[in-house]
Amino acid sequence: MPAARPPLPRPADPARRRLLGALLGVPVLAAGGLTGCSEEQATPTREGPIELSVFWWGSTGRAQATERALRLYSTRNPRVTFRVTWQAQGGYYDRLGTQAAGGNVPDLFQLDDSVLAEYAQRGITLDLSGYVADGRLELSSLPTGLADYGKLDGRTHGVAAAQTHAAVVYNKDLLRRLDVPAPTTGMPWADYLDWAARVTRASVGRVAGTMDPSGDQRALWLWLRGQGGKFYQGRQLGFGSGALLDWFETWQRARTDRATPAAALVDRADGGDVTRQLVVTGHTAASFAWSHQLPELQRYTDDELALTGFPGPPAAQWDRAAMYWAGFHGTRYPGVVADVINFLTTNGEAGRILGTERGLPASRIVRRAVTQTLDDPVVARVAALGESLGEQVGPAPAPPPKGHGQVRALLAASARNIRSGRAGARATTSLFMAQAQAALAR
């Protein structure tokens, strides 16, 4: 259910009050933060109180941290208050879409890469390029690929709220009991499947080695990039039917070798619900996830979970935005929205409050300060994977085009049909290619 909040109160301490712009055209800097972090410069607006609406999805913990960070901004800029709303991810885009249809989009809202291009092309997101160009939105402390992953046609429409990487999450205790070594970052896909089949044999079939990701667009995308291919080429698919058929047949062989579990189990786990991830339900030794999901996954099992990078060359990965902050094109206060995004992204004190719940802090400077003080070993594993991938990742592709959500759903449905035996790999591949190209052309 959505959780609405009244406007976050202005601080009452007069000593901490500072006007966002005492006079029109006079900028004010938001003090504080880490030494070396960018100074957050607020864009002047007309005098008077400013209330921004903010909307995001996430847990109660994310909501509490985000509200604390926004209160900190108001402490530095007492003219600005926030009216916040948040909810679970399910239904979030339905609600945001309804708001967009009515022209009532929040001033500041959270997006992921599945819809960034669509919202930009529909004229919903605020073009932030001017604020980046004049330094009011400071992105130089973000990895280049992470900053680029918010651009469409060279213009910034989203700023990474945090960074994540695609990862293999594995049950460290289970592998120890089975006396099977852990998977490693960059191992060839064939070796990974051999490893998974070995796990199944070692457990005498009680546990399968790995989740079947044949319907996971993230896994297919990295597999394609590892072979020098692309998932998208502009507004079209970047791969042909031969590559997709090879992908589906690879996982058919894995099922034959019992490296993956029964189709019914895979189908139940294929919806993204972390509570159904097979590595936490005990049905596999490894699953595929985003690295920042490890703390949540760990809550559902007593065994120790660990992370490693995906199979295939690490250069197939890129610095991926776990999610973005975006502004509404029709906001009355575009400069203030840009300044709030800048504050949430590059201010050290805000970074400490937000922590790693959305992923690793987007700013490298803030990230170092936050990760150096981590006392949670699970979160430390997330930071360690990000650090180990470091300079190994490749350049970021363009964010997925409009229609990506439909392509993702088509891939998942195609994989289910093949796993269940309802359709063969060749026929399914041909049908997917036609339907996916049509979805992208709309």
Side-chain angles (χ1 to χ4, degrees), residues 148 170 179 182 205 263 364 379:
D148 288 346
Y170 62 90
D179 194 27
R364 286 172 293 198
V379 178

Side-chain angles (χ1 to χ4, degrees), residues 176-385:
R176 188 181 298 116
R177 293 192 294 269
L178 295 176
D179 194 27
V180 175
T184 57
T185 296
M187 63 193 303
W189 279 96
D191 290 356
Y192 178 76
L193 294 179
D194 288 344
W195 169 86
R198 178 181 173 184
V199 170
T200 307
R201 291 193 300 271
S203 71
V204 196
R206 293 190 301 272
V207 177
T210 183
M211 169 67 176
D212 175 346
S214 54
D216 184 341
Q217 58 86 28
R218 163 187 53 196
L220 174 57
W221 199 333
L222 294 184
W223 184 78
L224 290 167
R225 278 173 61 100
Q227 302 179 70
K230 297 179 179 180
F231 199 99
Y232 291 113
Q233 182 70 47
R235 291 287 305 278
Q236 297 182 328
L237 293 175
F239 58 91
S241 57
L244 183 60
L245 179 61
D246 190 12
W247 172 253
F248 285 146
E249 289 182 338
T250 293
W251 290 101
Q252 283 185 311
R253 290 191 295 271
R255 287 189 286 278
T256 300
D257 293 341
R258 301 185 66 200
T260 64
L265 282 172
V266 174
D267 288 350
R268 284 201 293 271
D270 215 16
D273 183 346
V274 294
T275 65
R276 295 187 176 187
Q277 282 271 20
L278 299 184
V279 74
V280 300
T281 61
H283 292 101
T284 65
S287 286
F288 300 91
W290 296 114
S291 60
H292 72 278
Q293 294 177 310
L294 180 65
E296 188 174 5
L297 289 165
Q298 184 64 78
R299 286 198 288 270
Y300 295 102
T301 178
D302 292 330
D303 281 351
E304 180 183 347
L305 301 181
L307 282 175
T308 191
F310 255 53
Q317 292 259 22
W318 67 92
D319 290 318
R320 190 161 194 155
M323 54 205 71
Y324 303 98
W325 285 117
F328 176 39
H329 176 75
T331 180
R332 294 170 60 197
Y333 308 109
V336 183
V337 168
D339 191 62
V340 174
I341 294 175
N342 193 59
F343 181 81
L344 295 174
T345 306
T346 66
N347 179 275
E349 194 172 352
R352 291 190 186 98
I353 292 170
L354 294 169
T356 58
E357 204 281 338
R358 284 182 172 88
L360 296 176
S363 164
R364 286 172 293 198
I365 300 171
V366 176
R367 186 184 310 172
R368 282 196 294 270
V370 171
T371 57
Q372 285 170 2
T373 60
L374 289 175
D375 56 7
D376 184 336
V378 180
V379 178
R381 288 173 214 147
V382 178
L385 178 64

Side-chain angles (χ1 to χ4, degrees), residues 71-129:
R71 285 193 181 95
L72 178 63
Y73 184 89
S74 290
T75 299
R76 308 290 173 77
N77 302 283
R79 283 177 57 195
V80 181
T81 57
F82 300 92
R83 185 175 72 256
V84 303
T85 309
W86 61 275
Q87 66 175 61
Q89 187 170 6
Y92 175 84
Y93 284 115
D94 292 337
R95 184 174 181 185
L96 190 59
T98 299
Q99 292 170 328
N104 190 33
V105 178
D107 298 288
L108 178 63
F109 54 98
Q110 188 175 286
L111 292 175
D112 65 26
D113 65 359
S114 67
V115 298
L116 180 66
E118 178 181 352
Y119 275 63
Q121 289 165 8
R122 289 170 58 190
I124 296 169
T125 55
L126 176 65
D127 183 354
L128 298 164
S129 304

